[in-house]
Amino acid sequence: MPPSVSTDPRILRFPRSDETGSFVLVYVSCTGPAPLDLSLTATEGESPYVSLVKQTRLKDLQAKNYQGSNDEWVKTVSLILGQCSAPPDAPDWATGLEASASISGSDEDNKEIVITIRKRVQTITVRIPRRQIICIHMIPLLTHI
């Protein structure tokens, strides 16, 4: 991981792939000693959603057929979640990475936000399963007791 790791809370904006012109806001904050121990709180403008990312469990977020190195994986997650920027000595590794969010589920209790990272090749953006890097599922925050 690059030495310039951010531990400051931040808000990220991901375009929605399921609704043109819409987006999801994600509040990211550090929750543990590792740089990628993070709490994610998100909204699409109607409901709150939560998720935890643990650095020791990053591999669980990979697509099963991911073929990149572990180092590339950690750098990619760090970049997308705002923990670092592309290193100046190797800026090209992040070229073409794009993240988007979608809402899945039919009713309020089963909805979730899924953040997906894709790799754009030349001018075409396609979801290529072996290059899908992460899906972070965020479940609705229970607002009723």
Side-chain angles (χ1 to χ4, degrees):
M1 175 157 315
S4 59
V5 174
S6 173
T7 57
D8 295 333
R10 76 204 62 70
I11 296 175
L12 304 175
R13 184 178 190 244
F14 294 104
R16 285 188 50 188
S17 59
D18 60 340
E19 192 173 300
T20 305
S22 296
F23 56 89
V24 167
L25 294 177
V26 181
Y27 177 80
V28 179
S29 62
C30 292
T31 60
L36 288 172
D37 287 350
L38 303 171
S39 171
L40 308 177
T41 306
T43 186
E44 83 290 18
E46 295 179 17
S47 302
Y49 298 81
V50 295
S51 184
L52 292 175
V53 174
K54 293 289 186 185
Q55 186 155 338
T56 58
R57 300 190 49 102
L58 280 182
K59 198 155 187 76
D60 295 346
L61 301 176
Q62 281 180 337
K64 291 178 181 156
N65 52 357
Y66 173 73
Q67 297 175 355
S69 70
N70 188 57
D71 184 49
E72 179 184 27
W73 169 235
V74 170
K75 288 192 299 186
T76 300
V77 174
S78 297
L79 179 70
I80 294 299
L81 295 181
Q83 289 300 97
C84 70
S85 56
D89 59 338
D92 293 339
W93 72 267
T95 300
L97 285 177
E98 297 177 351
S100 63
S102 61
I103 310 296
S104 64
S106 56
D107 60 49
E108 289 300 314
D109 293 333
N110 294 326
K111 286 173 64 174
E112 67 179 0
I113 293 176
V114 179
I115 297 173
T116 304
I117 300 172
R118 299 178 178 154
K119 181 79 167 179
R120 183 173 14 113
V121 180
Q122 296 173 1
T123 59
I124 301 169
T125 303
V126 293
R127 181 176 174 180
I128 304 171
R130 67 179 178 193
R131 295 299 300 168
Q132 178 187 350
I133 297 173
I134 186 172
C135 280
I136 300 173
H137 296 269
M138 293 188 217
I139 59 172
L141 180 65
L142 299 177
T143 56
H144 48 76
I145 300 176

